[in-house]
Amino acid sequence: MVENTEFGELIECRKARYFAGKSTITNKSLWQICYHAYFYNPAKKTIGYIGGNRPYTMNKSFNNQGELKDFLQVNGFEECEIVDR
């Protein structure tokens, strides 16, 4: 794991989906895909826990996988495996 002073240690990258509404034509649910990166910095206050009861102090969300990869590369993190939730 690579550590950045502002964000801390990169814990995990996840792919998730969230409810975006309902179709008026087919009356089915519409879902949007997003990507999350979770970071842990021991100097900052914990804001939540992810799988395995691991604390995190910051998370960032992205609309597509390319944005996530660019963000990690610009900030000096190694590319991480994306967990599909």
Side-chain angles (χ1 to χ4, degrees):
M1 301 276 174
V2 177
E3 191 167 321
N4 182 310
T5 56
E6 184 182 345
F7 302 112
E9 178 184 350
L10 176 63
I11 300 174
E12 187 174 76
C13 297
R14 284 188 178 180
K15 178 181 178 181
R17 67 183 192 151
Y18 61 91
F19 181 73
K22 243 182 171 183
S23 171
T24 56
I25 299 169
T26 61
N27 204 27
K28 292 184 178 180
S29 299
L30 301 174
W31 296 89
Q32 195 77 17
I33 300 295
C34 62
Y35 297 86
H36 300 281
Y38 293 93
F39 302 93
Y40 178 70
N41 187 344
K44 294 184 179 179
K45 183 181 176 188
T46 300
I47 60 171
Y49 294 88
I50 56 175
N53 208 19
R54 293 178 294 172
Y56 69 93
T57 56
M58 181 180 174
N59 68 326
K60 292 205 49 93
S61 298
F62 304 93
N63 290 329
N64 57 48
Q65 192 172 359
E67 288 179 1
L68 171 62
K69 288 183 178 184
D70 289 344
F71 172 80
L72 294 177
Q73 185 178 18
V74 166
N75 289 295
F77 291 104
E78 296 173 2
E79 199 170 308
C80 69
E81 181 182 340
I82 297 173
V83 177
D84 193 359
R85 283 274 162 190

